[in-house]
Amino acid sequence: MSDFSHKPVLTGDRVVLRPFTEDDAATMAAIIEDPETSRLTGGAGRPPFTFAHLRHWYGSRGAQDDRLDLGLVDRASGGLVGELVLNEWDEPNRSCNFRVMIGPAGRDRGLGTEAIRLLLAYGFERLGLHRVHLGVYAFNPRALRVYERVGFVREGVERQALLHEGAWIDSIRMAILAPEWARHRGHTGTHTP
């Protein structure tokens, strides 16, 4: 693999991951501005993005060859409910960062779990990635459960990585490796309370 220039459409039972267009900016603005989304992604208190910036950002994702940004679509409604991203591409080590952002319309129905499995399958089986890593804030147990369920392993803690409403929040570092993915393909059976 030389880059992320190909932007696939990945279809699951309940979700579709597809390339962004500039027309997605309004929906993504609403997701980004949602208070719960903002809190869980560490965006609370940051200045809001302008609509022009978001329109340019989402309109330009297809031209990026060092990252893969895909919109998460709920097949039942046809609506865009979030995004999944592979970025911070380290080509020599076949490694990249993963992040996900899901708005209120996509939460608590298993859409994120299915979408993450689709993207990881593409990353490991089609792109030849060896390692995918992420950081998740400790006050997001729902995300921690999903990441563990699909095979991410806790590797460490970035202590007091986020100042949120006067409290310091840790960031938990997690990763999944290609040999692990090959064994379970995102179905570990891990269900943490």
Side-chain angles (χ1 to χ4, degrees), residues 11-15 17 110-119 150:
T11 303
D13 294 332
R14 295 183 297 151
V15 302
L17 300 179
L111 302 180
T113 302
E114 181 180 347
I116 293 167
R117 285 178 178 138
L118 278 173
L119 189 61
V150 301

Side-chain angles (χ1 to χ4, degrees), residues 33-156:
E33 293 168 6
D34 169 66
E36 182 73 354
T37 302
S38 182
R39 181 180 77 84
L40 294 175
T41 59
R46 291 187 186 148
F49 295 108
T50 66
F51 182 73
H53 172 81
L54 291 175
R55 192 165 170 80
H56 172 73
W57 176 262
Y58 287 104
S60 67
R61 298 306 82 204
Q64 308 304 309
D65 63 4
D66 63 343
R67 58 186 290 144
L68 178 61
D69 300 74
L70 296 175
L72 169 56
V73 175
D74 176 356
R75 288 185 68 181
S77 69
L80 179 66
V81 297
E83 69 179 7
L84 284 84
V85 178
L86 294 174
N87 63 355
E88 299 176 13
W89 170 231
D90 177 356
E91 186 174 5
N93 295 304
R94 297 182 8 231
S95 174
C96 65
N97 181 66
F98 168 76
R99 67 178 183 77
V100 60
M101 179 171 56
I102 300 176
R107 291 188 197 130
D108 299 321
R109 296 185 291 127
L111 302 180
T113 302
E114 181 180 347
I116 293 167
R117 285 178 178 138
L118 278 173
L119 189 61
L120 289 176
Y122 182 78
F124 288 121
E125 297 167 19
R126 299 287 303 276
L127 298 179
L129 295 176
H130 176 72
R131 182 175 193 273
V132 177
H133 56 91
L134 61 85
V136 58
Y137 293 116
F139 59 32
N140 193 350
R142 176 177 52 210
L144 282 165
R145 283 191 302 271
V146 170
Y147 296 145
E148 288 176 338
R149 187 176 307 129
V150 301
F152 281 91
V153 175
R154 295 180 191 221
E155 295 185 326

Side-chain angles (χ1 to χ4, degrees), residues 135-138 155-164 167-173:
V136 58
Y137 293 116
E155 295 185 326
V157 176
E158 293 179 55
R159 298 175 304 144
Q160 300 184 3
L162 174 71
L163 180 59
H164 176 75
W168 288 104
I169 309 300
D170 293 343
S171 177
I172 299 164
R173 301 299 305 167

